[in-house]
Amino acid sequence: MRWRAPPRSGGLGVAAMSYVAVDYLRRLSPAWHARLQPALWSVLALVAVSRVPYYRHWSAEFRSALPFVASMVFMLLALLFEALSVRSVTAVLGLDWHRDTPPLPDTGQWLLLASNEKLPQTIVDILRAPIIGLHHFLMLFMMLAFSVLFDSVEAPGLGLGARYMFTMAIGRLLRAITFASTILPSARPWCAYARFRVPAYPHRWAQKYYVPYASDADTIRKIINLDIAYADTGSYLGEYRPDWGAMSFLIDFLRPTVSEGSSWFSLLKKAGGGCNDLMYSGHMLVAVLTAMAWTEAYGGLSSVFVWLLVMHSAQREIRERHHYTVDCIVAIYVGILLWKMTGFIWPPKDARRNRRLLKLEKIQSRLIQAAKDSDMDGVRELLKEVELSTQEKSSGRRSKWVMWVFPCATIFSALTIVLLAFTWTSDG
C-alpha cells in the first residue's frame, strides 16, 4: 500500500501563480502592487486561520514540533558557519586580488549571449525579467506548508517544514565546505570592493602559501617537487585585531577593519551577500528544494510551473553573472539528491500504513460480512474507521488546554516566520 497525495482542488497552484504575478507588479506598476500585495496576503492569512478549528491533525503536528525546532536550530547554525565562510574566502586574498583577477571562462554565459542574437526580442526580455527571486521560493514553500490546513498536502505540516530545513542545513554545510576548499574568482570583479571592507593585501597565510607560487611556471614546478613553501616572504604587515574575547580566533578568518566596529556578530550582519561563495549556488539550492517539496507534496501542473521558475532563476543567475554555470548545475543535482535522501522525515508513510493495516486486520471479518450482506453503509462506516485509525489517538491523553494553545502558538509562530523571511529576503 503506497502513500498517495490527498486530492487537490488546484487552489494552491492558483494562489502560487497569483502571488508571483502580484509581486512582479512592483516592476510594472508600483501603485497597483502596493494595493494588491497586502490584500492578497491578508486574504491568504485569513483563509488559513479560518481553517484552524477544522484541522484534524494537530496531534501529528504536536509530535513534529520538536523535530521542527531542532531542524530550525540546525539550519541557523549552518547559516552562521556559511556566513563566516563567505567572508573568509574573500578576506584571505585581499581586495586587490579580487579586482585584478579575471573571471573564469563560462560557456553557459557564451550560450546565453549567443541566444540573445537568435531569439525574438520578446523571449529575450522575458528571460531577462526579474520574475522570481530567493524570497519567492521561500514564500512558495510557506504556502505549500500551510496548505495542510486544507488537506491539500499530507500532514503534518511541521514535518514537511522540518524536512525542508534539515535538508537546507545539510546543503548549506556542504556548500560552505565546497566553496571554502577552492577559492574561485567572482564573475563580477568589482563585487568584493562593493561589499567588503577587508584589507587590500592578502592575509599572511596567502602571502606564504599562495602568492609566491601563483603565476610563474618555474616556481609552481619547484614547489611541486619540493612539497614545501620555500619562498622568503619577508615580514608581514600588521592588521587590526579587536578584542573579541573567546571569539578572537575568528579574526584571522574575518580580517575586520576599524570602520566595521568591534563586534564579530555585527560584522556578519552587515554582509549583503558574498562574492566568492560560488560552488554551488545557495539561491539555486533554495529554489530546487522548494520545487522538490512542491512536486512530492502537491504535484500537478503547478509543480511544472515551479520548475519553470527554477530554470528561469538559474539562467538569470548566469546571465547576470552572480554565478558560473557550473554553480547552478551542481546546485540542481545536489538539491535533488539531498531531498531524496531525507524522505525519512516526511511524509510519515510507514507509520500510517502500519496503523491502516492493523485496523484492517481487526475489522476484516466485519468488512467481509457487510460486503456479503450488501450493506454499503456498513462498509463505508468500517472504511471510515480505517481512515480515522491513521490519525494519532494521543490527543485524548493530552489536556484540552494544551491542544488549544498549541494550534494558536503554531499559527502565530508560522505567520511570524513568514513575515520575517519575507522582510529579510525581499532584496534577494
Side-chain angles (χ1 to χ4, degrees):
M1 185 180 299
R2 299 182 60 186
W3 172 81
R4 290 178 294 180
R8 298 177 295 270
S9 63
L12 181 58
V14 173
M17 295 179 192
S18 301
Y19 161 64
V20 175
V22 168
D23 200 66
Y24 188 63
L25 282 177
R26 73 173 67 202
R27 305 279 180 176
L28 303 178
S29 176
W32 275 105
H33 174 264
R35 297 188 189 100
L36 292 178
Q37 190 190 50
L40 176 63
W41 279 116
S42 299
V43 169
L44 292 176
L46 289 174
V47 170
V49 171
S50 69
R51 291 289 301 174
V52 171
Y54 307 101
Y55 187 55
R56 298 173 299 152
H57 305 287
W58 285 117
S59 295
E61 300 291 350
F62 191 88
R63 288 197 332 276
S64 298
L66 186 58
F68 178 85
V69 173
S71 297
M72 180 181 293
V73 173
F74 181 34
M75 185 182 69
L76 292 175
L77 293 175
L79 291 174
L80 176 60
F81 176 74
E82 183 187 43
L84 293 170
S85 302
V86 164
R87 181 178 173 103
S88 177
V89 295
T90 299
V92 69
L93 290 170
L95 294 181
D96 288 345
W97 183 89
H98 298 284
R99 181 194 60 193
D100 299 335
T101 304
L104 299 175
D106 189 346
T107 54
Q109 294 170 0
W110 306 349
L111 181 62
L112 289 174
L113 291 174
S115 67
N116 292 343
E117 302 171 358
K118 304 294 183 181
L119 295 175
Q121 188 59 42
T122 302
I123 301 298
V124 174
D125 290 340
I126 292 174
L127 293 176
R128 289 173 175 169
I131 298 173
I132 193 78
L134 174 64
H135 66 288
H136 293 104
F137 287 110
L138 292 174
M139 291 303 109
L140 287 176
F141 177 78
M142 296 289 188
M143 294 169 67
L144 180 70
F146 269 99
S147 67
V148 298
L149 295 171
F150 305 89
D151 291 327
S152 297
V153 170
E154 181 80 354
L158 291 180
L160 176 60
R163 180 179 179 183
Y164 187 76
M165 291 189 293
F166 183 80
T167 311
M168 183 83 69
I170 295 176
R172 290 288 178 170
L173 285 176
L174 292 177
R175 168 177 134 82
I177 293 171
T178 302
F179 71 68
S181 300
T182 300
I183 302 175
L184 303 177
S186 175
R188 294 182 162 201
W190 64 87
C191 177
Y193 263 95
R195 292 184 174 179
F196 296 97
R197 296 293 178 266
V198 298
Y201 55 90
H203 187 270
R204 65 177 186 276
W205 297 338
Q207 292 182 46
K208 181 176 181 179
Y209 298 112
Y210 169 72
V211 175
Y213 322 103
S215 56
D216 183 70
D218 292 333
T219 59
I220 295 174
R221 185 179 292 109
K222 185 175 180 180
I223 196 173
I224 291 174
N225 294 330
L226 295 178
D227 195 27
I228 190 171
Y230 62 86
D232 182 11
T233 57
S235 58
Y236 301 114
L237 295 174
E239 297 191 2
Y240 172 64
R241 301 189 68 86
D243 183 12
W244 286 352
M247 306 301 291
S248 293
F249 70 93
L250 292 177
I251 293 175
D252 283 322
F253 296 96
L254 302 182
R255 300 188 74 190
T257 57
V258 177
S259 62
E260 293 177 303
S262 58
S263 170
W264 67 272
F265 189 70
S266 62
L267 185 74
L268 294 178
K269 288 196 298 183
K270 292 178 182 177
C275 298
N276 305 93
D277 55 325
L278 298 172
M279 177 68 75
Y280 43 86
S281 170
H283 285 63
M284 288 308 302
L285 177 67
V286 174
V288 170
L289 292 183
T290 299
M292 288 296 293
W294 196 285
T295 301
E296 180 174 341
Y298 193 72
L301 290 177
S302 62
S303 64
V304 177
F305 170 71
V306 175
W307 277 108
L308 288 176
L309 293 178
V310 172
M311 295 300 105
H312 187 277
S313 181
Q315 63 87 29
R316 275 193 59 226
E317 289 289 307
I318 301 166
R319 183 186 298 274
E320 298 174 6
R321 304 207 173 192
H322 296 293
H323 278 280
Y324 295 108
T325 305
V326 65
D327 307 332
C328 297
I329 292 175
V330 172
I332 290 172
Y333 67 70
V334 167
I336 293 173
L337 292 175
L338 286 178
W339 183 262
K340 292 292 186 181
M341 291 172 59
T342 55
F344 62 91
I345 300 177
W346 180 96
K349 296 183 285 290
D350 293 337
R352 290 178 179 272
R353 181 186 60 189
N354 292 337
R355 288 197 297 270
R356 187 178 290 114
L357 291 175
L358 182 61
K359 185 63 177 179
L360 278 172
E361 290 178 2
K362 291 181 178 179
I363 68 168
Q364 182 179 8
S365 59
R366 294 162 56 197
L367 186 61
I368 293 174
Q369 185 61 46
K372 288 181 178 179
D373 297 340
S374 299
D375 183 7
M376 300 310 299
D377 290 336
V379 171
R380 278 192 287 267
E381 286 296 324
L382 291 171
L383 292 178
K384 185 176 181 181
E385 287 184 29
V386 174
E387 181 61 27
L388 292 175
S389 70
T390 62
Q391 302 175 23
E392 271 301 303
K393 300 178 181 178
S394 59
S395 58
R397 297 193 298 267
R398 299 190 184 100
S399 67
K400 292 183 178 180
W401 180 82
V402 172
M403 296 312 296
W404 268 106
V405 170
F406 177 73
C408 295
T410 301
I411 294 299
F412 176 79
S413 301
L415 292 176
T416 302
I417 291 173
V418 169
L419 291 174
L420 291 177
F422 185 81
T423 303
W424 292 342
T425 63
S426 59
D427 61 352

